[in-house]
Structure formats: C-alpha cells, structure tokens
Amino acid sequence: MLKEAKAFSSFSVDDLKKAKEFYGQKLGLEVSETKEGLGLQITGGSEIFLYPKANHTPASFTVLNFPVGDIEQAVDQLSGRGVRFESYEGEMKTDEKGIFRGAARGEGPNIAWFKDPAGNILAVLEQKQ
C-alpha cells in the first residue's frame, strides 16, 4: 500500500510570508501557495509542504538537505543572497565560511548549515557525481 504512495515531507513555520520570500527569493525554489500553506517544488518531482503553526518551535535538527556538486560555490552564492551560515565548534567544527569539512577526514560529507526565518535548520551538502 505505502510502497506506491507518493510521500512528501512537511514542517512548520511561524510566518508564511517570510517563508515564501526566503524559500522563493533567497533559495530560488519554486513556491506554490494554498490556503493551508506553502509547497516547495524540489527537483525530481518531490514537494515539501510548509504549514503555519502559531506556537511553532524550530526543529533542533536538519529538516531539509540540498545536495550540491560544489559546496564552495553553493555557500558563496547563498551568502551573496543574504543567507547566513551557522558556525559550530567541537566535533562538527565549521570553518570561516560555515563549512564542516568531513570528506577529507572520512567523517561524512562537506556540509554547511543555515536556518530559515522560522529557525528551522537546513543544509547544503556536497555530493560529487
């Protein structure tokens, strides 16, 4: 039954207008609007649904990953659009650009985290073709 279902992901935001501007203009995604919320069209036909929640609490984990071929280029482009990357210390220490460079150490992909206006954590992660 569920094997054939076209599943989709969803998460909450506290302000649909800010979310629409961020995902549409800053990230360059195609955003559709319904009375229930926003749909983000993702390559491959998937859709992510964002819904308003008055008592929204940002996710404390990554809710959406964007695979990219070149993380340097992606971070530079997004930074140029006003996206601010997170800075972490310790085990997942990021560099001055906000990139965790795990690939060279065999500790996962190169990845950079950032937040949407509602505080949800998103990431770009490098996946070489």
Side-chain angles (χ1 to χ4, degrees):
M1 174 176 82
L2 296 181
K3 185 177 176 180
E4 289 81 30
K6 186 176 178 183
F8 66 94
S9 180
S10 64
F11 54 91
S12 70
V13 296
D14 56 359
D15 186 320
L16 284 179
K17 183 178 177 186
K18 285 181 183 177
K20 183 178 180 182
E21 179 182 320
F22 178 80
Y23 285 95
Q25 294 178 13
K26 288 198 178 194
L27 301 189
L29 300 176
E30 184 180 330
V31 180
S32 60
E33 193 168 1
T34 68
K35 63 182 179 181
E36 292 86 15
L38 302 175
L40 308 178
Q41 279 64 53
I42 305 296
T43 298
S46 298
E47 181 172 281
I48 310 295
F49 182 70
L50 307 183
Y51 58 92
K53 187 174 177 190
N55 61 346
H56 166 78
T57 300
S60 60
F61 51 87
T62 308
V63 297
L64 189 56
N65 292 288
F66 294 95
V68 296
D70 183 333
I71 197 159
E72 294 280 342
Q73 183 181 42
V75 167
D76 289 346
Q77 286 180 355
L78 290 169
S79 293
R81 293 180 181 174
V83 173
R84 197 180 120 258
F85 286 86
E86 297 298 301
S87 177
Y88 296 115
E89 295 293 329
E91 192 176 314
M92 302 297 279
K93 183 171 176 44
T94 54
D95 65 14
E96 64 281 349
K97 285 188 166 188
I99 301 171
F100 168 71
R101 299 188 185 273
R105 301 188 308 232
E107 297 175 1
N110 294 333
I111 187 166
W113 295 272
F114 58 100
K115 293 180 179 177
D116 72 3
N120 294 310
I121 302 170
L122 314 174
V124 288
L125 61 101
E126 191 169 63
Q127 289 188 338
K128 298 291 184 186
Q129 303 294 7

